[in-house]
Amino acid sequence: MDKIRIRGGQRLEGQIPISGAKNAALPLLAACLLTDETLVLRNLPHLADIATMTHLLAQHGAELSMAGEHPGGGHMGHVLKLCAAHIASTEAPYDIVRKMRASVLVLGPLLARCGQARVSLPGGCAIGTRPVDMHIRGLETLGAEIELDDGYIVANAPDGLQGGVVVFPTVSVGATENMLMAATLAKGEVVLENAAREPEVADLANCLNQMGARIEGIGSDTLRIQGVARLSGTDYSVLPDRIEAATYAIAAAITGGDVELLGAQSETMEAVIAALEQAKVTVERTDCGIRVRADGATALEGIDVTTAPYPGFPTDLQAQMMTLMTVANGAAMITETIFENRFQHVPELMRMGADITVKGATAMVRGDHDGLHGAPVMATDLRASVSLVLAGLAARGETTINRVYHLDRGYERLEEKLSGCGADIARLVE
Ligand code: UD1
């Protein structure tokens, strides 16, 4: 299995191009199932999770073709044409769904278009139990009959989905996206209350509207959808990845560097930028994105951070922020409110010399700016893995990160982007 080796202590300086957002691309890909026309998606990142979703879509009968690269952009801006003129199967098998929880996003589109779907339950995952009860309840509110059979969600709506009001008990990105896609083809009006406001949800809604859907309230917590009889194809560009951008912002900060993040959209990153500024990192909006500078770890301040649904501080950046706090001055309290088991990076960071105490959903980090040292480490999820890369960049000596496949799920060309700014990082292929 591949490993990543980092020799820490290099200051990052230069520019990093930000890829299309994985979490926007996944539901946008699933949206191809809603129409018999061609959906062209641009700025797709090259990632293992995207490959898993396209594999699933092909299995449902979608025809896919790559349509070249972004002019002059090298690896950026991958274009994919998807056409689900005929749905060959409405079943999403366990073997694919178990690899990636977001596979459940085909449930809403298949049910809306075909009146039936059989989708494997995603099961548990490293960062918590993560049920799909809100996806199921929401579809039932629109008239679907749903049973659980042998680990599969079996959904039927032979006369199509109806209008209705769905009030989500808690904010869920995936449930909002699944319901949004299902609602576009319902008969009547669907109202989604307490909907997720994440930019990725808005990106999906904007693309659906371009396909002929009638969605109002985009960006707010109440989405109103007037169902239409059919959707058409369109050509849509995926928004830049705010989580990737913020991860590299933290890489710049933790190495006392100066990096411009090309294409980063600061308006989708307000909570993170505010937190970085509070920690004494300089963040500037530029014509091409954002520029992030820090005067070295000695200048960083410990701050308290609590994760929350958008526009709050994202859970997907909690591990990276905690790593930054391990080298800042003073104490920092990091509280995780979205997932119950998302501190798996803590013991690994402690092996690198971090001083962290966990009590329930809160981690107390006592920063020490010459604290971290290299070590062989391993993590069990995507964001935890990248937090160890950040720790490795700041640490004295050599860090080896095992289970690189987690990183390949969510960070496109990570080693290349970091080494382009001076990091001493390499992939060891075994
Ligand atoms: C998405 C993101 C993930 C991010 C998360 C929270 C994608 C592909 N993934 O995941 O990177 O960390 O949002 O911002 O976009 N829940 C239920 N019942 C449900 C659905 C969710 O109880 O039916 C709970 C979950 O267990 C979790 C919370 O709701 O505690 C939020 O999860 P959700 O927003 O649904 O996360 P995902 O959409 O899976």
Side-chain angles (χ1 to χ4, degrees):
M1 237 184 272
D2 293 4
K3 292 179 181 166
I4 294 228
R5 188 208 60 215
I6 302 170
R7 297 197 179 105
Q10 308 295 322
R11 179 172 181 270
L12 295 193
E13 205 176 327
Q15 296 181 318
I16 298 182
I18 299 308
S19 298
K22 168 180 85 78
N23 287 354
L26 292 170
L28 285 168
L29 286 163
C32 84
L33 297 172
L34 287 165
T35 174
D36 58 3
E37 294 184 16
T38 300
L39 174 64
V40 181
L41 291 177
R42 297 177 190 276
N43 199 33
L44 279 174
H46 262 185
L47 296 168
D49 275 7
I50 301 296
T52 303
M53 183 58 97
T54 54
H55 179 50
L56 178 61
L57 294 173
Q59 186 275 144
H60 290 308
E63 289 185 5
L64 291 88
S65 60
M66 293 297 289
E69 311 260 292
H70 195 263
H75 297 271
M76 285 180 69
H78 311 286
V79 183
L80 192 64
K81 288 186 181 179
L82 303 108
C83 182
H86 306 287
I87 302 289
S89 157
T90 53
E91 175 161 328
Y94 175 69
D95 266 357
I96 303 181
V97 180
R98 76 180 163 80
K99 279 198 210 155
M100 185 182 67
R101 188 187 147 77
S103 308
V104 81
L105 290 170
V106 299
L107 175 63
L110 286 173
L111 186 60
R113 168 121 173 249
C114 308
Q116 61 174 60
R118 188 176 144 87
V119 176
S120 171
L121 281 165
C125 84
I127 61 173
T129 47
R130 298 178 88 177
V132 287
D133 55 314
M134 289 193 277
H135 301 239
I136 293 174
R137 292 256 157 75
L139 292 169
E140 282 175 340
T141 305
L142 304 194
E145 284 183 10
I146 302 189
E147 298 175 357
L148 297 184
D149 174 35
D150 239 356
Y152 276 76
I153 305 164
V154 182
N156 280 292
D159 301 323
L161 294 170
Q162 312 297 321
V165 178
V166 176
V167 184
F168 294 111
T170 55
V171 176
S172 163
V173 174
T176 303
E177 291 168 342
N178 232 337
M179 292 307 300
L180 192 56
M181 289 189 277
T184 57
L185 295 178
K187 296 188 184 91
E189 183 183 73
V190 176
V191 181
L192 304 179
E193 288 181 13
N194 199 24
R197 297 164 59 189
E198 268 67 3
E200 294 76 17
V201 176
D203 210 37
L204 172 67
N206 286 326
C207 177
L208 291 170
N209 274 355
Q210 235 177 264
M211 294 165 75
R214 293 175 57 203
I215 303 167
E216 284 173 19
I218 298 175
S220 79
D221 63 1
T222 303
L223 294 166
R224 229 167 245 284
I225 305 110
Q226 310 295 332
V228 295
R230 63 182 302 277
L231 294 182
S232 54
T234 195
D235 189 318
Y236 195 80
S237 188
V238 180
L239 97 164
D241 196 321
R242 65 195 167 100
I243 306 296
E244 186 200 26
T247 300
Y248 291 128
I250 294 174
I254 206 166
T255 61
D258 182 351
V259 175
E260 188 175 15
L261 305 165
L262 303 176
Q265 281 182 354
S266 59
E267 60 276 21
T268 62
M269 298 169 61
E270 300 290 350
V272 182
I273 292 175
L276 288 172
E277 286 176 340
Q278 204 192 336
K280 299 280 182 282
V281 179
T282 307
V283 183
E284 238 178 81
R285 278 86 174 159
T286 66
D287 291 344
C288 310
I290 61 176
R291 179 176 169 195
V292 182
R293 278 177 293 151
D295 292 336
T298 44
L300 296 170
E301 291 283 334
I303 59 158
D304 296 344
V305 171
T306 300
T307 62
Y310 191 84
F313 190 92
T315 174
D316 285 352
L317 288 168
Q318 178 259 107
Q320 299 90 313
M321 197 56 162
M322 190 184 300
T323 302
L324 185 67
M325 292 298 102
T326 65
V327 299
N329 284 310
M333 226 164 65
I334 312 271
T335 305
E336 172 60 55
T337 70
I338 310 289
F339 293 111
E340 73 269 30
N341 187 21
R342 211 170 195 186
F343 282 148
Q344 293 176 357
H345 42 288
V346 169
E348 301 299 303
L349 289 172
M350 288 172 72
R351 295 184 55 239
M352 297 177 72
D355 182 348
I356 306 172
T357 314
V358 174
K359 267 220 167 104
T362 298
M364 170 65 82
V365 185
R366 289 178 189 81
D368 175 357
H369 48 77
D370 39 46
L372 298 181
H373 50 76
V377 288
M378 149 148 82
T380 41
D381 77 80
L382 167 60
R383 309 300 171 184
S385 306
V386 88
S387 76
L388 300 175
V389 171
L390 297 173
L393 293 173
R396 289 184 310 278
E398 192 169 294
T399 297
T400 340
I401 302 171
N402 294 285
R403 299 201 177 159
V404 171
Y405 58 86
H406 287 300
L407 291 169
D408 293 337
R409 288 187 47 204
Y411 288 89
E412 185 178 32
R413 299 184 294 116
L414 173 98
E415 313 91 273
E416 205 178 312
K417 290 188 184 190
L418 286 171
S419 60
C421 288
D424 185 344
I425 178 168
R427 181 177 291 242
L428 311 178
V429 181
E430 291 193 348

